[in-house]
């Protein structure tokens, strides 16, 4: 049985998406309090794989997670990615004294920053006087609301977490945009056995040579003339010196395809450093995984 580390406690969006991706029963899901613990446990072999939310439709890249991936030094390759819709719900103690308005007595909303951002319009219009408390994950907010026994507290989280903690769904599907998807990656040392995917991707990190005008242009042209598609390019500070960046790139091609290694060789030939963070199958929710 493979052990899969995720941001806990039980019932997070990460776990819900992993349960959707992996066959129930054949995997053991192990919660960790922090995202950095997910990396550490996977690196130490305490877990076989780790689930990392890396990007979402509303907020873009989760920069901290990209940095953790980079800092893991390439020991934890990306083994798969999948896209999952984050459906958030308002969860609390249904208050019978509140009459017809289930939100009337809610004074505090506890959740993860991304989830609060995803439900911004709903919160502004329906709970304009509530204060927010930011916690490490959506399910952690649900756990705190449960423990408080306080009907003026609510959390934002998955339906799974409401069921697990025995709380009520005060409002379902409260995200502002229907096309609210999160991209998750699976990190781990060994290749997992997965069903065939419709597309493959390779993620690389490129550090440009210093004082080489047009270096990024040359990197991009190595892909362009081979008609290799990039689906993402993002710069991140190297954290070694102010103004030094590397480029994080998602390429829509497997490293097993002849064209890609030759493009990477060309990039290295101009003095750029290339680090491969993984070459992996990509699954989209639309395609039914
Ligand atoms: O806090 C969670 O439930 C997570 O798994 C992180 C997260 C939060 C919101 C959208 C996607 C992932």
């Amino acid at each position: 049985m493979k052990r899969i580390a995720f941001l806990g406690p039980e019932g997070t969006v990460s776990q819900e998406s992993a349960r959707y991706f992996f066959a129930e029963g054949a995997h053991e899901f192990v919660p960790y309090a922090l995202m950095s613990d997910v990396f550490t446990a996977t690196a130490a072999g305490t877990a076989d794989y780790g689930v990392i939310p890396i990007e979402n439709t509303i907020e873009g890249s989760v920069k901290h997670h990209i940095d953790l991936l980079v800092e893991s030094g390439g020991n934890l390759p990306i083994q798969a990615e999948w896209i999952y819709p984050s459906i958030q719900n308002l969860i609390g103690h249904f208050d019978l004294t509140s009459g017809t308005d289930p939100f009337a007595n809610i004074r505090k909303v506890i959740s993860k920053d991304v989830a609060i951002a995803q439900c911004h319009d709903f919160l502004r219009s329906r709970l304009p006087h509530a204060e927010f408390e930011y916690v490490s994950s959506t399910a952690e907010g649900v756990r705190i609301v449960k423990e408080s026994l306080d009907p003026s507290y609510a959390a934002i989280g998955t339906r799974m977490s409401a069921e697990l903690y025995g709380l009520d769904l005060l409002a379902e599907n409260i995200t502002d945009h229907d096309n609210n998807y999160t991209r998750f990656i699976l990190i781990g040392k060994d290749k997992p056995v997965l069903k065939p995917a419709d597309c493959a991707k390779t993620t690389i990190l490129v550090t440009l040579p210093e004082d080489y005008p047009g270096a990024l242009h040359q990197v991009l042209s190595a892909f362009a003339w081979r008609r290799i598609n990039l689906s993402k390019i993002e710069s991140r500070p190297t954290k070694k010196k102010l103004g030094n960046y590397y480029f994080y790139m998602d390429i829509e091609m497997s490293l097993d395809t002849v064209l890609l290694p030759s493009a990477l060789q060309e990039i290295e030939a101009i003095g750029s450093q290339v680090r491969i963070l993984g070459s992996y199958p990509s699954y989209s929710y639309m395609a039914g995984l």
Side-chain angles (χ1 to χ4, degrees), residues 80-156:
E81 73 161 20
W82 64 88
I83 291 168
Y84 186 77
S86 4
I87 298 171
Q88 304 290 6
N89 308 280
L90 191 70
I91 298 168
H93 306 266
F94 188 70
D95 185 1
L96 290 172
T97 62
S98 67
T100 50
D101 182 359
F103 312 139
N105 295 333
I106 293 172
R107 297 277 166 266
K108 193 187 246 189
V109 176
I110 307 173
S111 196
K112 178 147 178 72
D113 48 4
V114 187
I116 291 173
Q118 288 173 337
C119 305
H120 179 263
D121 294 349
F122 173 90
L123 297 167
R124 285 290 294 276
S125 63
R126 306 299 297 273
L127 296 167
H129 304 299
E131 62 172 280
F132 299 111
E133 188 177 318
Y134 295 88
V135 290
S136 55
S137 76
T138 56
E140 176 62 3
V142 179
R143 195 192 62 75
I144 293 169
V145 170
K146 172 68 183 184
E147 213 164 61
S148 74
L149 305 173
D150 188 337
S152 75
Y153 284 13
I156 297 172

